Amino acid sequence: MIIFLTVLITIFVAEMGDKTQLLLVAMAGKYKIPHILTGTWLATVVLNILAVGVGAALSNYLDMRIIKLAAGLAFFWFAYAALKSDDEEEEQKEMKHHLGPVFAIFVSFFIGELGDKTQLSGITLAANYTNHSLINAVYVFLGCTIGLILADLIGLIAGVVLRSKIPAGILNILSFLIFAAFGVLSVREAAGLIFGAGSAAALIVCIVITAVFAIICGISVLSKRHQ
């Protein structure tokens, strides 16, 4: 029980203010609550199975450059989608295909959390407390999972409150800014891993990818205004 509480508190504190917690604020402005809960909880379970079960082994083989770049592109995609979230036709499609938003949330949350400090904390805690004991592994898994869920529920509640108090247009802009900001940060980290942190090449690649994203968003906004 002490292991469970220690892991839960550690993961809860590690997740507070983390990017995935802030992403839930953005998701609350775009998706329905049941979809968000389903997608994020599924991702949380899978992530913690990786962290506790085979995370330490996988960490030797996963290429963080690919993970960070994929995360950046995923965040840019969701930022772009936030610009179009008031499209009635898209809303009707979402209502017809429930797997779509759940899968989108799952992928966004999974990629955002994979290799993040919270999952790395889970891997470290598993290494410290498991000691080849199945019951200890279960305690670590439950502590990681519940701690992550509790911390992210705070972000979700904040998003729901904002959704009820702030006009949809402003909330869409807030969602766009959050997703876009994390997209830039992830791409910058990926470029730093590929070309070297602080190198001119890393900065240029980040600027180019961000500029392409900004141009695509600008074209989308202009086309909407002319419709």
Side-chain angles (χ1 to χ4, degrees):
M1 193 63 179
I2 293 176
I3 292 176
F4 167 74
L5 292 175
T6 301
V7 173
L8 188 151
I9 293 170
T10 302
I11 293 297
F12 180 84
V13 172
E15 183 67 7
M16 293 301 293
D18 194 57
K19 64 175 177 292
T20 43
Q21 189 185 45
L22 297 177
L23 285 175
L24 285 169
V25 175
M27 288 178 182
K30 177 174 173 55
Y31 298 106
K32 297 178 181 179
I33 301 303
H35 295 161
I36 297 173
L37 293 177
T38 303
T40 56
W41 288 359
L42 283 173
T44 298
V45 169
V46 174
L47 284 163
N48 286 320
I49 288 174
L50 287 174
V52 177
V54 293
L58 284 177
S59 64
N60 296 324
Y61 301 102
L62 288 175
D63 192 330
M64 293 305 298
R65 295 172 296 181
I66 296 175
I67 291 174
K68 292 295 184 182
L69 183 59
L73 296 177
F75 291 146
F76 279 149
W77 168 253
F78 284 105
Y80 175 76
L83 290 178
K84 306 180 73 175
S85 62
D86 57 349
D87 191 324
E88 292 182 2
E89 184 179 343
E90 185 180 352
E91 246 183 344
Q92 289 172 0
K93 277 185 185 178
E94 181 176 308
M95 291 175 66
K96 289 179 183 177
H97 303 286
H98 287 194
L99 184 60
V102 171
F103 182 72
I105 293 165
F106 173 88
V107 171
S108 177
F109 192 87
F110 183 87
I111 292 178
E113 195 65 37
L114 187 62
D116 195 45
K117 71 176 187 293
T118 310
Q119 198 198 26
L120 295 177
S121 297
I123 293 173
T124 303
L125 290 165
N128 288 339
Y129 292 115
T130 299
N131 295 324
H132 305 290
S133 168
L134 179 59
I135 188 64
N136 286 353
V138 171
Y139 282 142
V140 174
F141 170 77
L142 291 175
C144 287
T145 302
I146 296 174
L148 193 60
I149 287 173
L150 290 177
D152 289 334
L153 277 176
I154 294 175
L156 181 57
I157 291 170
V160 171
V161 171
L162 287 173
R163 185 173 67 181
S164 64
K165 301 292 184 182
I166 299 177
I170 295 177
L171 193 55
N172 286 341
I173 293 174
L174 176 62
S175 298
F176 169 80
L177 292 175
I178 291 174
F179 282 123
F182 286 122
V184 173
L185 288 174
S186 295
V187 169
R188 181 70 181 88
E189 289 177 3
L193 290 172
I194 295 171
F195 299 102
S199 67
L203 181 60
I204 291 171
V205 168
C206 182
I207 291 173
V208 169
I209 293 177
T210 303
V212 171
F213 164 72
I215 291 170
I216 293 172
C217 290
I219 293 172
S220 175
V221 171
L222 290 174
S223 65
K224 265 173 88 173
R225 287 182 178 176
H226 289 298
Q227 285 179 355

